[in-house]
Amino acid sequence: MMKKVFITGGAGYIGSIMIGAMLENEYEVIVLDRMFFGKRPVLKYLDHPKVHFYKDDVRYFDKALLKGVDVVIDLAGISNDPASEINPQATININQKGSIRVAKVSKEMGVRQYILASSCSIYGEGDDNLLNEESKKNPVSLYARSKIKAEEAIKPLADDNFCVTFLRNGTVYGYSTRMRFDLVVNTMTWKAWQNGKIHIMGGGQQWRPLVHVKDVVDAFLLVMQTQNLSIINGQAFNVGSNDQNYQIWQIANMVKNAIPNTELEFFPSDPDRRDYRVCCDKITNVLGFKTKKTVTDGIIEILDGLKSGYIDAMDPSNITVKYYKYLLEAEKALREIKYKGKIF
C-alpha cells in the first residue's frame, strides 16, 4: 500500500538523495525545508506529482501537514559541529527542541513511525574500543549534545502505536546535489583537486566512522520497511560498517591514491577533539544492513563531478559554516541598506 513519507530537511545533503530513493520505492513524499541552500538541489523534483514541497521551519510548521502521513524522517538541523557554534541558541531550538516538537506533533497526528537522523558524533572523544549503542557518550560539541538531548526527550514517546527509531549516522561522504565540502572525505578530495594539497591536523591519528550518503538513505529505507516494529521501537542504531572506521591519515592517503600528485602536510595539533570508532554490528544483526559503497567510490564520484563541472567547486553554499556566516552578514547588510523596506 502506498505510504506517505514526511521528510524534514528534505532538500539537504541527505534529503535531496533520499527523495529519489523514496520515489523509486513508490512512496509519496512531503518535503519540509527552510531552503537555506535554495531549490537547486531538488530542482528535478519540484514539479513531480508525488513530491510536495513546503518552505517552512520545524519549529513553526502547521501540524496539519502531517495528516495522513505514515512515516516521518527527521533530517532537519544546523548541520555539523562548527556550524552549530555560530548561534548556539538557534542550534538548541532547531536541533533539539525542533526535533522534539516534530516527534510530539507526529504522535499527536497519528503518524505510525518516526525516525530521527542522529549522529555518531555523540560519542565524541572516545577510547580505543569500538563503541556500540550502549557505550558512554562523550560529546565535545553543541551539535552532539543537542542530538543526545533530542534522543533522550523523544524516546519516552515510543509506544505500541508510535514507533521511534534513532539512526546515528557516521561521518557521511559522497556526491549529492546539495554538495558539502565540510565533511572529511569530501573536503580532502576537493582540496586535493583544487590545490594539490591536504592539511592534516593532529598528525592524522584521529578516528572517524565513515558511511556513504546512499548507504545512509538505504538504512532509513530499511527501517521504514521493517515489518516487525517491535525490534526497532525505542532503539538506536549506529549507521556505517566496522571496516569503514579510518584514521584521518588513512583517508588522506586514499585521496592521494586517486589524485597522485597530492601533497600531504601534517600538523601536530588539532582543536577538534573528536576521535572515535564505532561498532555497527547491531544494525547488521537486527536488520541485515550492509553498506554497498566504499570511501574510494566516494572519492572517485566527487572527483568525476569536479572534473566534469556538474559539481561547482566555487559554490559558497558547499561549505555549510561559511555559508551560514555569509547569510548572517548579508542579512545585516540589507538591514542597514534598506530604506522604507526597499533597496532601490
Side-chain angles (χ1 to χ4, degrees):
M1 187 174 65
M2 173 68 70
K3 289 185 179 179
K4 186 180 287 187
V5 182
F6 186 93
I7 307 175
T8 73
Y13 179 64
I14 297 172
S16 57
I17 299 295
M18 187 174 285
I19 293 171
M22 294 296 166
L23 293 174
E24 288 174 7
N25 284 267
E26 299 185 345
Y27 298 135
E28 184 178 354
V29 184
I30 300 173
V31 174
L32 183 93
D33 199 288
R34 182 64 180 79
M35 296 293 180
F36 277 121
F37 304 95
K39 296 179 179 179
R40 186 172 57 183
V42 292
L43 205 57
K44 66 180 179 180
Y45 302 118
L46 292 181
D47 297 320
H48 197 288
K50 290 184 179 178
V51 185
H52 316 283
F53 287 91
Y54 293 92
K55 182 180 178 181
D56 214 325
D57 192 301
V58 291
R59 296 169 290 181
Y60 315 119
F61 76 94
D62 186 348
K63 64 183 181 181
L65 292 179
L66 293 167
K67 185 177 181 181
V69 167
D70 298 294
V71 181
V72 168
I73 294 176
D74 197 358
L75 303 177
I78 303 295
S79 59
N80 80 9
D81 295 48
S84 68
E85 305 294 344
I86 295 175
N87 186 328
Q89 191 57 53
T91 298
I92 293 169
N93 290 342
I94 296 170
N95 293 19
Q96 178 182 327
K97 295 180 179 179
S99 288
I100 294 168
R101 177 178 184 262
V102 172
K104 285 182 175 179
V105 296
S106 295
K107 183 172 184 175
E108 183 182 340
M109 293 300 293
V111 174
R112 183 175 64 93
Q113 192 174 7
Y114 170 90
I115 310 169
L116 176 66
S118 190
S119 173
C120 283
S121 68
I122 65 175
Y123 302 118
E125 199 169 10
D127 53 32
D128 292 332
N129 299 310
L130 280 176
L131 304 173
N132 63 33
E133 291 79 1
E134 304 304 318
S135 296
K136 178 183 176 182
K137 303 176 185 70
N138 192 18
V140 296
S141 69
L142 178 59
Y143 175 79
R145 292 192 295 273
S146 70
K147 290 295 186 183
I148 293 172
K149 293 290 187 181
E151 283 192 23
E152 290 173 345
I154 294 168
K155 185 174 181 177
L157 299 176
D159 59 29
D160 291 343
N161 299 310
F162 187 60
C163 179
V164 170
T165 309
F166 308 113
L167 293 186
R168 297 173 180 168
N169 300 321
T171 302
V172 189
Y173 64 86
Y175 170 73
S176 170
T177 49
R178 160 36 191 146
M179 199 58 209
R180 284 182 59 184
F181 287 132
D182 52 4
L183 298 163
V184 63
V185 174
N186 300 0
T187 302
M188 286 186 173
T189 304
W190 171 56
K191 288 186 175 180
W193 177 81
Q194 187 173 50
N195 304 320
K197 187 179 295 186
I198 300 175
H199 293 158
I200 303 167
M201 309 305 291
Q205 297 302 305
Q206 317 91 312
W207 287 93
R208 291 287 188 280
L210 305 177
V211 61
H212 193 281
V213 62
K214 288 186 176 179
D215 286 324
V216 170
V217 170
D218 284 349
F220 277 85
L221 276 167
L222 192 58
V223 170
M224 280 179 56
Q225 295 168 349
T226 300
Q227 296 298 311
N228 182 6
L229 295 182
S230 66
I231 65 174
I232 60 171
N233 199 4
Q235 296 296 312
F237 296 91
N238 294 335
V239 179
S241 61
N242 294 354
D243 61 359
Q244 287 196 44
N245 286 290
Y246 289 107
Q247 288 177 287
I248 298 296
W249 69 266
Q250 292 175 303
I251 302 169
N253 275 297
M254 283 187 276
V255 174
K256 184 176 174 62
N257 287 338
I259 311 174
N261 294 327
T262 301
E263 180 184 350
L264 306 183
E265 288 193 359
F266 289 82
F267 296 87
S269 61
D270 185 2
D272 187 347
R273 291 159 42 215
R274 289 175 297 166
D275 180 13
Y276 52 96
R277 298 185 297 154
V278 303
C279 175
C280 298
D281 287 346
K282 182 178 178 181
I283 195 169
T284 299
N285 295 337
V286 175
L287 298 176
F289 174 77
K290 292 183 180 180
T291 57
K292 299 173 184 174
K293 297 284 188 176
T294 68
V295 174
T296 299
D297 292 334
I299 293 168
I300 295 301
E301 68 187 23
I302 294 169
L303 185 58
D304 288 346
L306 290 167
K307 287 178 177 178
S308 63
Y310 65 81
I311 296 177
D312 182 356
M314 302 309 294
D315 185 345
S317 69
N318 289 340
I319 303 177
T320 305
V321 65
K322 289 185 178 180
Y323 190 63
Y324 284 155
K325 288 179 179 178
Y326 161 77
L327 292 177
L328 291 170
E329 290 166 1
E331 180 187 38
K332 180 181 177 182
L334 286 172
R335 282 200 305 264
E336 294 174 352
I337 292 170
K338 282 183 178 179
Y339 178 68
K340 293 186 177 180
K342 297 181 180 180
I343 295 176
F344 294 105

